[in-house]
Amino acid sequence: MTAITHNENRVVRLFFYSSITWLLIGMTIGLILAIKYVWPDFLVWGEFLQKYLSYGRIRPAHTHILLFGWLSMAYAGGLFYIIPQLTRKSLEHPRLAHAIGILWNIYIVAALVTLCMGYTTTIEYAEPTWPLDVYFIVLVAGAAYICFKTIAKRNESQLYVSLWYFMGSLIWLPFLYIIGNIVTYFITGVPQALAGWFYGHNVIGLWFTTVGVGFIYYLLPLLSKNPLYSHKLSLIGFWTIATFYVWNGPHHLQNGPIPAWLMKAGVIPSVLLIIPVWTVLANVFGTMKGKWHRISESVPLKFVVTGAIFYLITCLQGPFQSLMQPSAILKFTNWIIGHAHMALFGAFSFVLFALFYHTLPSLTGRKIYSEALMNWHFWLSIIGFLIFAFTTWTAGVMQGFAWTEGKQYGVPFLEVVVSLQPFAIARAIGGVLMFIGQIVFAYNVRRSIKDGQLLSVEEKSTSTA
Amino acid sequence: MDEERREKKEATYEEPLEEVAGIRMANAKVPRFLIITYIVLAAWAIGYSVWAQPVNERTKDTTGNKPVNGETIVQQHCLGCHNLSKERLVGPGLQGVGQRLPGDKLTDVLLNGRGAMPSLPNQGLDNEQIKAVEKYLRTL
């Protein structure tokens, strides 16, 4: 494979290191939120904190920083690293890419500050106000331009399946962002809610999922040292997700004030998503055939396979809760929080951890500082996440059935809130474990950059392959 | 002869590995369980698009609505201790209770209980049901 150039290296490292910083900041806010569930007066000492760290303001700050600071910056870094590898062509406009990285960080800071000051559009995942949206769309379009130009000038005639996923995602993201953030400014009522959820779900499905699946397709054959099981399956998976995903938005307004045909048009493609997901997973398991023992030897492979399995579970849960009856019980409960974290933390953050551990040696010329810390990162993340997820799911089912029995307001509602206290505590404990895991991750990366063992010349030539 | 045939068969089924940018790709056929999944889901999708009905209220989704009729609730929850007439049973008779406990006083007794009488929320009644009970009692 092509060796990475100095300029590319600078760009990818800027994106990767920034994203780790945002991961820690975003998860700190998440932890504050989890503690506020147990102890609502936490951090409301004095008027200043009470105002700027109130739940309603930092909750969107938490989601926005982790979606666009951590995941999306890491994704952009990953695209700038993998696309040159798969096209055998150095990245076009590396200076522009570097500038985008710096401006992207400024965007996240600005979004964090304005959200804490209380400026919000109230549309989920699209909370920052329109000047910031326009600014961010320009950044995303710039990143997409760089990627497409590199692919257009490629030296490898065939496009590997990951590139299909990347190109699709890079077209979809700017348009989705415009619909969710700009179009929703000009419409009101039910159409606004529909446009908002069109964006809200598709930014997960046509950006976080599809780029993440592209990363899985890239990492798996390299880490397992097996050929990709089936090219045919990867094409079926790509085209079916591209066909079905865009329809998913209306399932968020299930049993709500939208026409029945629109509800069905939201539910059916949500269930049909089982087709691309099982197809991708058949390919993952097929590729792993005969190489499962390698999981015990390679932490990145452990992360990528675990991520793929969480992707499978998320996409069994998702179609189930999109159906009308389960939706009537589960909507607005804690269950949804567990579901959302499984996709974004359990599945795609895990894939990113694998990507980081896999690429860092070739970026820094040094080995990962500590194998033991990598394992700590894995186990703390997965145990913390499982505690978090099972408590939110159980609490959500309890809430949902209590509400259907009429405990929706007044004294009975408060009884439900009080009965969920132990779950809120367990959820915060799970969150603490997840957070400690990420501190271990950041520390390990920091030490690898500074004092990781230098790669020998021989390892350097194979580390990119 | 047999071996030769088998070799020939294997050769036709095994497709060569392609290599793209250093990643090897095989081209396995679509497994049968996936084909069955595709067909089952397609059939389900057609059925669902025709027959599914939205759930209009959360309560409709669970069996047996709770009564919000004040009279029914009083009969089920209160008549163990109270008569509808003026006669005393365990507690005082309910006739004229609206005049004896005017304004917020009746609400207070219903929400918080009094003496041996348990509060209505403790009996598992929700706000709407309690309001209905109060409305009915004031007519007695």
Side-chain angles (χ1 to χ4, degrees):
Chain A
M1 272 197 182
T2 39
I4 186 159
T5 66
H6 173 71
N7 276 336
E8 279 166 25
N9 196 330
R10 210 165 65 104
V11 171
V12 176
R13 283 166 69 165
L14 169 69
F15 273 90
F16 278 5
Y17 299 162
S18 314
S19 71
I20 295 178
T21 312
W22 291 120
L23 171 70
L24 293 181
I25 295 173
M27 285 188 76
T28 308
I29 300 177
L31 207 54
I32 295 173
L33 292 167
I35 295 171
K36 274 176 185 278
Y37 268 89
V38 183
W39 179 20
D41 287 341
F42 180 62
L43 284 189
V44 292
W45 308 306
E47 205 179 318
F48 179 84
L49 286 179
Q50 188 166 7
K51 195 168 167 188
Y52 293 103
L53 293 184
S54 66
Y55 183 88
R57 292 186 184 187
I58 60 173
R59 193 270 182 189
H62 164 70
T63 52
H64 213 77
I65 287 179
L66 286 171
L67 290 175
F68 297 103
W70 153 241
L71 281 160
S72 294
M73 277 202 91
Y75 271 20
L79 292 174
F80 291 149
Y81 177 88
I82 295 176
I83 289 177
Q85 300 291 322
L86 291 177
T87 54
R88 298 185 196 274
K89 163 83 183 73
S90 60
L91 193 71
E92 290 283 315
H93 307 302
R95 284 214 186 126
L96 176 63
H98 197 262
I100 287 176
I102 292 166
L103 293 173
W104 199 312
N105 279 315
I106 294 172
Y107 167 76
I108 303 292
V109 173
L112 174 61
V113 170
T114 53
L115 286 172
C116 285
M117 285 168 67
Y119 294 102
T120 173
T121 63
T122 71
I123 302 212
E124 196 160 19
Y125 304 149
E127 292 92 349
T129 44
W130 69 267
L132 283 174
D133 297 334
V134 173
Y135 175 92
F136 188 63
I137 290 164
V138 172
L139 295 186
V140 171
Y145 170 73
I146 293 168
C147 292
F148 274 107
K149 195 163 175 194
T150 310
I151 295 170
K153 296 195 167 180
R154 68 189 184 276
N155 294 320
E156 168 73 56
S157 62
Q158 200 178 345
L159 291 168
Y160 182 62
V161 57
S162 294
L163 288 173
W164 291 55
Y165 279 93
F166 296 160
M167 287 193 288
S169 312
L170 286 166
I171 295 174
W172 295 323
L173 180 63
F175 286 105
L176 290 171
Y177 212 86
I178 289 169
I179 291 172
N181 293 271
I182 307 293
V183 173
T184 48
Y185 250 85
F186 299 103
I187 51 179
T188 53
V190 172
Q192 187 194 37
L194 277 168
W197 278 118
F198 172 83
Y199 159 77
H201 206 112
N202 287 330
V203 76
I204 310 291
L206 295 177
W207 170 245
F208 295 117
T209 302
T210 40
V211 176
V213 170
F215 288 166
I216 294 176
Y217 274 127
Y218 172 77
L219 289 170
L220 206 62
L222 294 180
L223 292 172
S224 69
K225 300 203 175 9
N226 245 5
L228 181 72
Y229 175 64
S230 170
H231 182 58
K232 201 175 289 160
L233 282 182
S234 52
L235 294 187
I236 295 175
F238 175 80
W239 287 109
T240 46
I241 201 168
T243 310
F244 297 137
Y245 217 109
V246 281
W247 292 89
N248 274 2
H251 76 212
H252 288 266
L253 299 170
Q254 201 64 268
N255 306 317
I258 57 170
W261 68 266
L262 200 51
M263 290 181 202
K264 292 181 190 181
V267 173
I268 294 169
S270 305
V271 176
L272 292 186
L273 273 185
I274 288 174
I275 294 174
V277 175
W278 286 18
T279 308
V280 166
L281 263 293
N283 223 348
V284 168
F285 289 129
T287 306
M288 285 302 292
K289 204 179 276 175
K291 292 294 174 90
W292 287 99
H293 62 278
R294 281 192 58 83
I295 287 182
S296 63
E297 298 155 13
S298 160
V299 183
L301 188 61
K302 212 183 280 185
F303 268 114
V304 86
V305 171
T306 314
I309 291 170
F310 276 129
Y311 174 50
L312 172 70
I313 304 171
T314 309
C315 292
L316 288 174
Q317 211 179 42
F320 162 73
Q321 71 199 41
S322 79
L323 295 168
M324 285 158 187
Q325 280 77 8
S327 174
I329 305 289
L330 296 173
K331 192 174 289 174
F332 308 125
T333 69
N334 275 300
W335 173 285
I336 306 299
I337 297 161
H339 174 69
H341 281 78
M342 182 154 60
L344 295 168
F345 184 81
F348 298 114
S349 292
F350 271 43
V351 172
L352 278 176
F353 298 143
L355 182 74
F356 277 47
Y357 286 134
H358 175 70
T359 54
L360 275 175
S362 65
L363 291 172
T364 59
R366 290 168 186 275
K367 284 184 187 163
I368 298 293
Y369 170 68
S370 163
E371 180 96 17
L373 287 180
M374 282 160 84
N375 270 312
W376 272 99
H377 176 210
F378 178 79
W379 289 109
L380 282 168
S381 298
I382 197 162
I383 293 170
F385 170 70
L386 287 176
I387 294 174
F388 174 97
F390 277 98
T391 47
T392 46
W393 292 333
T394 317
V397 172
M398 283 172 58
Q399 266 179 314
F401 279 105
W403 292 344
T404 57
E405 284 165 10
K407 298 185 177 173
Q408 288 153 296
Y409 28 56
V411 178
F413 179 82
L414 287 176
E415 282 171 2
V416 177
V417 173
V418 172
S419 72
L420 292 178
Q421 179 85 345
F423 291 93
I425 294 170
R427 170 180 165 170
I429 292 170
V432 168
L433 293 180
M434 282 155 75
F435 185 64
I436 295 173
Q438 305 329 304
I439 291 177
V440 171
F441 169 53
Y443 173 77
N444 200 7
V445 168
R446 182 87 194 90
R447 287 300 295 266
S448 310
I449 300 162
K450 259 176 58 191
D451 353 276
Q453 207 186 334
L454 285 170
L455 293 174
S456 64
V457 181
E458 207 174 286
E459 283 168 325
K460 251 182 200 165
S461 61
T462 53
S463 67
T464 44
Chain B
M1 177 67 200
D2 257 8
E3 212 150 273
E4 211 172 90
R5 196 188 293 156
R6 201 184 306 143
E7 260 172 33
K8 212 175 169 189
K9 208 174 166 189
E10 271 173 13
T12 48
Y13 274 88
E14 187 141 320
E15 293 179 46
L17 289 180
E18 274 182 282
E19 192 172 311
V20 182
I23 298 178
R24 290 175 304 151
M25 291 192 308
N27 212 350
K29 286 192 298 184
V30 182
R32 184 177 297 156
F33 89 92
L34 274 182
I35 294 174
I36 294 169
T37 308
Y38 299 162
I39 294 169
V40 169
L41 283 173
W44 170 85
I46 294 165
Y48 193 87
S49 64
V50 178
W51 287 299
Q53 290 290 331
V55 183
N56 282 325
E57 280 171 40
R58 278 177 185 272
T59 38
K60 273 194 188 161
D61 203 39
T62 50
T63 47
N65 270 351
K66 284 200 167 179
V68 280
N69 181 330
E71 192 174 354
T72 328
I73 300 171
V74 167
Q75 279 167 4
Q76 286 170 351
H77 289 265
C78 310
L79 297 191
C81 301
H82 297 279
N83 280 324
L84 283 176
S85 64
K86 275 201 160 156
E87 241 169 277
R88 194 178 171 88
L89 196 61
V90 179
L94 290 176
Q95 197 181 348
V97 69
Q99 284 100 53
R100 276 181 282 135
L101 298 170
D104 283 350
K105 282 185 185 163
L106 178 58
T107 326
D108 181 51
V109 171
L110 293 179
L111 284 179
N112 299 310
R114 184 169 69 174
M117 179 185 145
S119 73
L120 268 54
N122 259 346
Q123 302 213 5
L125 297 175
D126 66 30
N127 277 10
E128 217 149 285
Q129 290 173 311
I130 295 169
K131 270 183 208 152
V133 168
E134 189 178 340
K135 203 173 164 193
Y136 171 70
L137 288 180
R138 287 191 194 282
T139 64
L140 290 174

mmCIF file of all heavy atoms in Angstrom, chain A residues 229-237 275 278-279 282-283, chain B residues 15 27-38:
data_model
loop_
_atom_site.group_PDB
_atom_site.id
_atom_site.type_symbol
_atom_site.label_atom_id
_atom_site.label_comp_id
_atom_site.label_asym_id
_atom_site.label_seq_id
_atom_site.Cartn_x
_atom_site.Cartn_y
_atom_site.Cartn_z
ATOM 1 N N TYR A 229 -15.213 -11.830 2.395
ATOM 2 C CA TYR A 229 -15.978 -13.035 2.063
ATOM 3 C C TYR A 229 -16.666 -12.923 0.716
ATOM 4 O O TYR A 229 -16.555 -13.800 -0.137
ATOM 5 C CB TYR A 229 -16.993 -13.263 3.184
ATOM 6 C CG TYR A 229 -17.969 -14.391 2.982
ATOM 7 C CD1 TYR A 229 -17.525 -15.703 2.905
ATOM 8 C CD2 TYR A 229 -19.325 -14.136 2.913
ATOM 9 C CE1 TYR A 229 -18.418 -16.740 2.759
ATOM 10 C CE2 TYR A 229 -20.229 -15.171 2.773
ATOM 11 C CZ TYR A 229 -19.777 -16.475 2.690
ATOM 12 O OH TYR A 229 -20.671 -17.490 2.547
ATOM 13 N N SER A 230 -17.434 -11.842 0.503
ATOM 14 C CA SER A 230 -18.199 -11.779 -0.737
ATOM 15 C C SER A 230 -18.390 -10.351 -1.232
ATOM 16 O O SER A 230 -18.991 -9.518 -0.567
ATOM 17 C CB SER A 230 -19.567 -12.428 -0.534
ATOM 18 O OG SER A 230 -20.392 -12.157 -1.650
ATOM 19 N N HIS A 231 -17.875 -10.102 -2.421
ATOM 20 C CA HIS A 231 -18.055 -8.797 -3.050
ATOM 21 C C HIS A 231 -19.533 -8.566 -3.378
ATOM 22 O O HIS A 231 -20.055 -7.468 -3.231
ATOM 23 C CB HIS A 231 -17.211 -8.761 -4.321
ATOM 24 C CG HIS A 231 -17.262 -7.453 -5.033
ATOM 25 N ND1 HIS A 231 -16.891 -6.273 -4.428
ATOM 26 C CD2 HIS A 231 -17.649 -7.126 -6.292
ATOM 27 C CE1 HIS A 231 -17.052 -5.262 -5.291
ATOM 28 N NE2 HIS A 231 -17.510 -5.752 -6.432
ATOM 29 N N LYS A 232 -20.199 -9.669 -3.793
ATOM 30 C CA LYS A 232 -21.620 -9.569 -4.166
ATOM 31 C C LYS A 232 -22.452 -9.080 -2.990
ATOM 32 O O LYS A 232 -23.277 -8.176 -3.097
ATOM 33 C CB LYS A 232 -22.101 -10.954 -4.629
ATOM 34 C CG LYS A 232 -23.342 -10.914 -5.480
ATOM 35 C CD LYS A 232 -23.671 -12.320 -5.987
ATOM 36 C CE LYS A 232 -22.684 -12.809 -7.041
ATOM 37 N NZ LYS A 232 -22.698 -14.269 -7.196
ATOM 38 N N LEU A 233 -22.221 -9.681 -1.809
ATOM 39 C CA LEU A 233 -22.986 -9.294 -0.626
ATOM 40 C C LEU A 233 -22.754 -7.831 -0.280
ATOM 41 O O LEU A 233 -23.670 -7.121 0.129
ATOM 42 C CB LEU A 233 -22.589 -10.165 0.576
ATOM 43 C CG LEU A 233 -23.160 -11.572 0.648
ATOM 44 C CD1 LEU A 233 -22.689 -12.249 1.926
ATOM 45 C CD2 LEU A 233 -24.677 -11.534 0.601
ATOM 46 N N SER A 234 -21.522 -7.371 -0.439
ATOM 47 C CA SER A 234 -21.257 -5.981 -0.068
ATOM 48 C C SER A 234 -22.028 -5.030 -0.982
ATOM 49 O O SER A 234 -22.478 -3.977 -0.538
ATOM 50 C CB SER A 234 -19.763 -5.691 -0.089
ATOM 51 O OG SER A 234 -19.196 -6.085 -1.301
ATOM 52 N N LEU A 235 -22.209 -5.424 -2.232
ATOM 53 C CA LEU A 235 -22.989 -4.553 -3.133
ATOM 54 C C LEU A 235 -24.475 -4.577 -2.786
ATOM 55 O O LEU A 235 -25.137 -3.537 -2.771
ATOM 56 C CB LEU A 235 -22.788 -4.974 -4.589
ATOM 57 C CG LEU A 235 -21.369 -4.761 -5.109
ATOM 58 C CD1 LEU A 235 -21.290 -5.040 -6.595
ATOM 59 C CD2 LEU A 235 -20.896 -3.354 -4.824
ATOM 60 N N ILE A 236 -25.017 -5.772 -2.472
ATOM 61 C CA ILE A 236 -26.430 -5.849 -2.060
ATOM 62 C C ILE A 236 -26.634 -4.973 -0.830
ATOM 63 O O ILE A 236 -27.578 -4.189 -0.732
ATOM 64 C CB ILE A 236 -26.836 -7.306 -1.755
ATOM 65 C CG1 ILE A 236 -26.763 -8.161 -3.009
ATOM 66 C CG2 ILE A 236 -28.253 -7.361 -1.165
ATOM 67 C CD1 ILE A 236 -27.034 -9.639 -2.760
ATOM 68 N N GLY A 237 -25.712 -5.091 0.136
ATOM 69 C CA GLY A 237 -25.828 -4.322 1.376
ATOM 70 C C GLY A 237 -25.836 -2.833 1.108
ATOM 71 O O GLY A 237 -26.647 -2.093 1.656
ATOM 72 N N ILE A 275 -32.482 -6.309 5.970
ATOM 73 C CA ILE A 275 -31.807 -6.838 4.764
ATOM 74 C C ILE A 275 -30.358 -6.351 4.669
ATOM 75 O O ILE A 275 -29.433 -7.164 4.676
ATOM 76 C CB ILE A 275 -32.608 -6.511 3.484
ATOM 77 C CG1 ILE A 275 -33.941 -7.260 3.514
ATOM 78 C CG2 ILE A 275 -31.820 -6.867 2.228
ATOM 79 C CD1 ILE A 275 -34.874 -6.919 2.379
ATOM 80 N N TRP A 278 -28.245 -7.632 7.933
ATOM 81 C CA TRP A 278 -27.875 -9.050 7.948
ATOM 82 C C TRP A 278 -26.908 -9.370 6.808
ATOM 83 O O TRP A 278 -26.050 -10.232 6.935
ATOM 84 C CB TRP A 278 -29.131 -9.942 7.861
ATOM 85 C CG TRP A 278 -29.897 -9.965 9.133
ATOM 86 C CD1 TRP A 278 -29.791 -9.059 10.157
ATOM 87 C CD2 TRP A 278 -30.866 -10.926 9.549
ATOM 88 N NE1 TRP A 278 -30.648 -9.399 11.168
ATOM 89 C CE2 TRP A 278 -31.327 -10.542 10.826
ATOM 90 C CE3 TRP A 278 -31.395 -12.067 8.964
ATOM 91 C CZ2 TRP A 278 -32.294 -11.266 11.527
ATOM 92 C CZ3 TRP A 278 -32.365 -12.792 9.662
ATOM 93 C CH2 TRP A 278 -32.800 -12.388 10.936
ATOM 94 N N THR A 279 -27.064 -8.673 5.693
ATOM 95 C CA THR A 279 -26.152 -8.913 4.574
ATOM 96 C C THR A 279 -24.729 -8.511 4.958
ATOM 97 O O THR A 279 -23.771 -9.257 4.715
ATOM 98 C CB THR A 279 -26.630 -8.122 3.349
ATOM 99 O OG1 THR A 279 -28.002 -8.425 3.120
ATOM 100 C CG2 THR A 279 -25.847 -8.476 2.118
ATOM 101 N N ALA A 282 -23.449 -11.012 7.492
ATOM 102 C CA ALA A 282 -23.075 -12.289 6.872
ATOM 103 C C ALA A 282 -21.685 -12.163 6.270
ATOM 104 O O ALA A 282 -20.854 -13.069 6.359
ATOM 105 C CB ALA A 282 -24.090 -12.670 5.794
ATOM 106 N N ASN A 283 -21.414 -11.003 5.702
ATOM 107 C CA ASN A 283 -20.101 -10.755 5.122
ATOM 108 C C ASN A 283 -19.023 -10.691 6.207
ATOM 109 O O ASN A 283 -17.921 -11.210 6.039
ATOM 110 C CB ASN A 283 -20.151 -9.426 4.352
ATOM 111 C CG ASN A 283 -19.445 -9.514 3.027
ATOM 112 O OD1 ASN A 283 -18.730 -10.481 2.767
ATOM 113 N ND2 ASN A 283 -19.627 -8.508 2.197
ATOM 114 N N GLU B 15 -14.355 -19.159 -7.374
ATOM 115 C CA GLU B 15 -13.972 -18.030 -8.222
ATOM 116 C C GLU B 15 -12.638 -17.472 -7.730
ATOM 117 O O GLU B 15 -12.335 -17.544 -6.549
ATOM 118 C CB GLU B 15 -15.062 -16.953 -8.157
ATOM 119 C CG GLU B 15 -16.344 -17.459 -8.802
ATOM 120 C CD GLU B 15 -17.459 -16.421 -8.727
ATOM 121 O OE1 GLU B 15 -17.178 -15.252 -9.026
ATOM 122 O OE2 GLU B 15 -18.581 -16.795 -8.364
ATOM 123 N N ASN B 27 -15.662 -13.962 -3.783
ATOM 124 C CA ASN B 27 -16.991 -13.653 -4.308
ATOM 125 C C ASN B 27 -17.962 -14.777 -4.004
ATOM 126 O O ASN B 27 -18.518 -15.400 -4.889
ATOM 127 C CB ASN B 27 -16.916 -13.370 -5.809
ATOM 128 C CG ASN B 27 -17.958 -12.347 -6.195
ATOM 129 O OD1 ASN B 27 -18.820 -12.005 -5.385
ATOM 130 N ND2 ASN B 27 -17.885 -11.859 -7.414
ATOM 131 N N ALA B 28 -18.171 -15.013 -2.708
ATOM 132 C CA ALA B 28 -19.085 -16.075 -2.298
ATOM 133 C C ALA B 28 -20.495 -15.757 -2.758
ATOM 134 O O ALA B 28 -20.862 -14.600 -2.921
ATOM 135 C CB ALA B 28 -19.042 -16.227 -0.782
ATOM 136 N N LYS B 29 -21.278 -16.841 -2.955
ATOM 137 C CA LYS B 29 -22.671 -16.646 -3.362
ATOM 138 C C LYS B 29 -23.493 -16.135 -2.184
ATOM 139 O O LYS B 29 -23.085 -16.263 -1.036
ATOM 140 C CB LYS B 29 -23.257 -17.973 -3.853
ATOM 141 C CG LYS B 29 -22.738 -18.352 -5.217
ATOM 142 C CD LYS B 29 -23.548 -19.485 -5.795
ATOM 143 C CE LYS B 29 -23.463 -20.733 -4.942
ATOM 144 N NZ LYS B 29 -24.159 -21.870 -5.520
ATOM 145 N N VAL B 30 -24.671 -15.587 -2.458
ATOM 146 C CA VAL B 30 -25.550 -15.151 -1.371
ATOM 147 C C VAL B 30 -26.032 -16.384 -0.615
ATOM 148 O O VAL B 30 -26.601 -17.290 -1.215
ATOM 149 C CB VAL B 30 -26.757 -14.380 -1.949
ATOM 150 C CG1 VAL B 30 -27.651 -13.891 -0.822
ATOM 151 C CG2 VAL B 30 -26.274 -13.213 -2.798
ATOM 152 N N PRO B 31 -25.800 -16.452 0.705
ATOM 153 C CA PRO B 31 -26.212 -17.643 1.460
ATOM 154 C C PRO B 31 -27.727 -17.822 1.418
ATOM 155 O O PRO B 31 -28.469 -16.849 1.300
ATOM 156 C CB PRO B 31 -25.766 -17.328 2.899
ATOM 157 C CG PRO B 31 -24.836 -16.185 2.789
ATOM 158 C CD PRO B 31 -25.156 -15.456 1.542
ATOM 159 N N ARG B 32 -28.170 -19.104 1.544
ATOM 160 C CA ARG B 32 -29.599 -19.379 1.390
ATOM 161 C C ARG B 32 -30.434 -18.684 2.471
ATOM 162 O O ARG B 32 -31.507 -18.180 2.204
ATOM 163 C CB ARG B 32 -29.848 -20.883 1.422
ATOM 164 C CG ARG B 32 -31.326 -21.206 1.160
ATOM 165 C CD ARG B 32 -31.594 -22.691 1.109
ATOM 166 N NE ARG B 32 -30.869 -23.319 0.000
ATOM 167 C CZ ARG B 32 -30.538 -24.605 -0.020
ATOM 168 N NH1 ARG B 32 -30.859 -25.367 1.003
ATOM 169 N NH2 ARG B 32 -29.894 -25.112 -1.038
ATOM 170 N N PHE B 33 -29.896 -18.614 3.728
ATOM 171 C CA PHE B 33 -30.704 -18.003 4.791
ATOM 172 C C PHE B 33 -30.990 -16.533 4.484
ATOM 173 O O PHE B 33 -32.046 -16.013 4.832
ATOM 174 C CB PHE B 33 -30.010 -18.177 6.158
ATOM 175 C CG PHE B 33 -29.052 -17.088 6.522
ATOM 176 C CD1 PHE B 33 -29.492 -15.989 7.272
ATOM 177 C CD2 PHE B 33 -27.721 -17.134 6.139
ATOM 178 C CE1 PHE B 33 -28.616 -14.988 7.621
ATOM 179 C CE2 PHE B 33 -26.842 -16.128 6.472
ATOM 180 C CZ PHE B 33 -27.287 -15.052 7.215
ATOM 181 N N LEU B 34 -30.062 -15.882 3.763
ATOM 182 C CA LEU B 34 -30.313 -14.477 3.419
ATOM 183 C C LEU B 34 -31.396 -14.366 2.356
ATOM 184 O O LEU B 34 -32.254 -13.502 2.432
ATOM 185 C CB LEU B 34 -29.034 -13.814 2.912
ATOM 186 C CG LEU B 34 -28.103 -13.233 3.982
ATOM 187 C CD1 LEU B 34 -26.910 -12.567 3.325
ATOM 188 C CD2 LEU B 34 -28.828 -12.251 4.883
ATOM 189 N N ILE B 35 -31.367 -15.277 1.382
ATOM 190 C CA ILE B 35 -32.398 -15.237 0.334
ATOM 191 C C ILE B 35 -33.761 -15.441 0.954
ATOM 192 O O ILE B 35 -34.730 -14.718 0.644
ATOM 193 C CB ILE B 35 -32.106 -16.315 -0.747
ATOM 194 C CG1 ILE B 35 -30.813 -15.950 -1.462
ATOM 195 C CG2 ILE B 35 -33.265 -16.416 -1.737
ATOM 196 C CD1 ILE B 35 -30.327 -16.968 -2.447
ATOM 197 N N ILE B 36 -33.858 -16.399 1.914
ATOM 198 C CA ILE B 36 -35.144 -16.628 2.599
ATOM 199 C C ILE B 36 -35.549 -15.371 3.363
ATOM 200 O O ILE B 36 -36.707 -14.943 3.315
ATOM 201 C CB ILE B 36 -35.030 -17.852 3.538
ATOM 202 C CG1 ILE B 36 -34.805 -19.111 2.698
ATOM 203 C CG2 ILE B 36 -36.278 -17.991 4.404
ATOM 204 C CD1 ILE B 36 -34.427 -20.336 3.494
ATOM 205 N N THR B 37 -34.587 -14.746 4.050
ATOM 206 C CA THR B 37 -34.882 -13.503 4.785
ATOM 207 C C THR B 37 -35.455 -12.445 3.854
ATOM 208 O O THR B 37 -36.449 -11.778 4.175
ATOM 209 C CB THR B 37 -33.589 -12.963 5.427
ATOM 210 O OG1 THR B 37 -32.981 -14.006 6.164
ATOM 211 C CG2 THR B 37 -33.884 -11.796 6.355
ATOM 212 N N TYR B 38 -34.816 -12.300 2.681
ATOM 213 C CA TYR B 38 -35.288 -11.264 1.735
ATOM 214 C C TYR B 38 -36.748 -11.530 1.340
ATOM 215 O O TYR B 38 -37.577 -10.617 1.325
ATOM 216 C CB TYR B 38 -34.444 -11.247 0.455
ATOM 217 C CG TYR B 38 -32.972 -10.945 0.635
ATOM 218 C CD1 TYR B 38 -32.051 -11.252 -0.369
ATOM 219 C CD2 TYR B 38 -32.488 -10.331 1.792
ATOM 220 C CE1 TYR B 38 -30.700 -10.976 -0.234
ATOM 221 C CE2 TYR B 38 -31.135 -10.065 1.936
ATOM 222 C CZ TYR B 38 -30.242 -10.389 0.927
ATOM 223 O OH TYR B 38 -28.917 -10.122 1.065
#
